[in-house]
Amino acid sequence: MFEMTIADVVDELRGVRESWRERQERHDFANREFPSRDAIAQVAAQLRGVLFPLRLGPPDLRQENEDFYVGHTLSQALQTLAAQAGNELRFRNRLFAQNTPDIDAQAGEAIRRFAGTLPGLRRLLDTDVLAAYHGDPAARSVDEVVLSYPGVLALIHHRLAHELYVQGLPLLARILAELAHGETGIDIHPGAQIGSGCFIDHGTGVVIGETAIIGKNVRIYQAVTLGAKRFPKDAQGHLQKSWPRHPMVEDDVVIYAGATILGRVTIGAGAVIGGNVWITHDVPAGSHVHQASVQHERNTRGNPSAAPADVVV
């Protein structure tokens, strides 16, 4: 019934692909050499179970079988991850005309190092779980937090993704991070550095950029942006990458819903950032910033003695 239509569509799609490859000067991809999003999604589910077996593992798991399950599942996950890491390195070789020797051995070593970080990563996640439990009066138990809080899921993915990023696998890391982004609405670049005891409450619309640095015991509410203020270009007109352009948030800071903090600014320890404020300057430690104080500061700029003590923007 659709034979002629399908044949026409197939022909046209081939033409589109060939045109794209011609414009991008990419003619040497005989086989798929890109990491698989589906494979990374499977690994993510396995690693969540490895980290929290009785909560995020299979429903029939019993405590006496935990070690067997963790060992078996971790072995499967790491094998898949090593294969995907090899795909990323081969893809990078072709894309940037590099010649990395012994790609499979290099990929395997990177994943071995990644595996060695998992116990410390679990300990770090325990601090995030406790921060959520103690920081939310609606939380009935730490189990509820692990099983249902989107901020915790996002941090599990982020902490895994960040370790892959550190091991030189930014594409695998980005895919892992975007899986959580799609599920939770929380967008954390895997390059961001986040200290222990982080609590992302509600979380929808939170954006944390690649070079952001967040200290210990920081609480972030929904729709908060830790973003870049500007995007300088190089001599060829391309955006410069990897330079520090996102905020640094020190220990014990609270950032309420809708706040936007842009550029390489520092939010001092213990500061409280109110909802829906826009910040592009440093905030001293212990300060309180809110909409009324920001408006007053704008009206009294140039006359510091007229500004209240909590005006810092």
Side-chain angles (χ1 to χ4, degrees):
M1 177 178 179
F2 296 106
E3 284 78 3
M4 294 302 296
T5 302
I6 289 174
D8 292 341
V9 172
V10 169
D11 287 342
E12 289 192 41
L13 285 173
R14 184 192 317 115
V16 173
R17 293 195 306 271
E18 291 173 351
S19 176
W20 165 260
R21 290 166 182 163
E22 187 69 31
R23 291 196 306 271
Q24 300 297 319
E25 300 181 354
R26 300 170 74 177
H27 309 289
D28 53 354
F29 286 90
N31 301 303
R32 173 175 177 142
E33 292 183 346
F34 311 100
S36 164
R37 186 181 177 94
D38 290 341
I40 300 304
Q42 175 185 327
V43 167
Q46 290 172 322
L47 291 177
R48 292 196 301 266
V50 165
L51 290 168
F52 297 95
L54 291 179
R55 297 184 184 111
L56 302 181
D60 58 347
L61 183 63
R62 298 294 180 265
Q63 188 170 358
E64 57 268 24
N65 298 324
E66 268 188 306
D67 283 348
F68 175 81
Y69 163 75
V70 169
H72 178 70
T73 305
L74 182 58
S75 177
Q76 290 183 322
L78 294 179
Q79 289 178 30
T80 302
L81 207 51
Q84 298 307 311
N87 285 347
E88 174 169 349
L89 295 178
R90 277 183 279 273
F91 166 66
R92 189 187 308 166
N93 264 6
R94 289 184 179 274
L95 188 62
F96 298 108
Q98 297 173 341
N99 186 23
T100 303
D102 205 353
I103 283 178
D104 289 333
Q106 183 175 329
E109 178 60 21
I111 299 307
R112 186 193 66 78
R113 293 193 301 267
F114 167 79
T117 69
L118 293 178
L121 193 150
R122 165 62 203 255
R123 285 190 285 269
L124 194 55
L125 285 166
D126 285 345
T127 70
D128 301 328
V129 170
L130 287 174
Y133 174 66
H134 292 303
D136 184 2
R140 301 295 197 276
S141 67
V142 292
D143 305 293
E144 176 186 356
V145 167
V146 174
L147 287 167
S148 64
Y149 275 41
V152 170
L153 176 61
L155 283 168
I156 292 173
H157 274 243
H158 171 72
R159 297 205 185 279
L160 290 166
H162 182 71
E163 293 300 337
L164 291 173
Y165 183 91
V166 169
Q167 298 304 330
L169 298 167
L171 182 52
L172 294 191
R174 193 61 183 265
I175 294 171
L176 185 58
E178 290 302 325
L179 289 169
H181 180 197
E183 188 169 345
T184 67
I186 299 170
D187 182 1
I188 310 175
H189 192 284
Q193 301 175 50
I194 301 179
S196 61
C198 182
F199 177 27
I200 302 175
D201 197 5
H202 306 295
T204 305
V206 165
V207 177
I208 300 174
E210 178 185 21
T211 63
I213 300 176
I214 298 175
K216 299 176 181 178
N217 306 318
V218 171
R219 192 189 319 167
I220 298 172
Y221 287 85
Q222 67 270 22
V224 165
T225 296
L226 304 180
K229 183 179 179 182
R230 58 189 179 88
F231 303 94
K233 299 180 179 180
D234 60 22
Q236 288 73 43
H238 302 136
L239 291 179
Q240 295 182 17
K241 299 180 183 294
S242 299
W243 58 280
R245 60 197 182 277
H246 299 104
M248 296 184 293
V249 180
E250 295 184 346
D251 298 349
D252 303 307
V253 168
V254 179
I255 308 175
Y256 283 103
T260 298
I261 306 172
L262 301 180
R264 195 60 163 183
V265 300
T266 298
I267 308 300
V272 177
I273 309 301
N276 297 313
V277 298
W278 182 282
I279 296 175
T280 57
H281 297 86
D282 291 347
V283 173
S287 301
H288 288 233
V289 180
H290 49 84
Q291 287 188 4
S293 68
V294 171
Q295 184 60 46
H296 186 84
E297 190 271 342
R298 289 172 180 158
N299 294 338
T300 59
R301 188 167 290 159
N303 182 15
S305 63
D310 62 349
V311 173
V312 295
V313 182

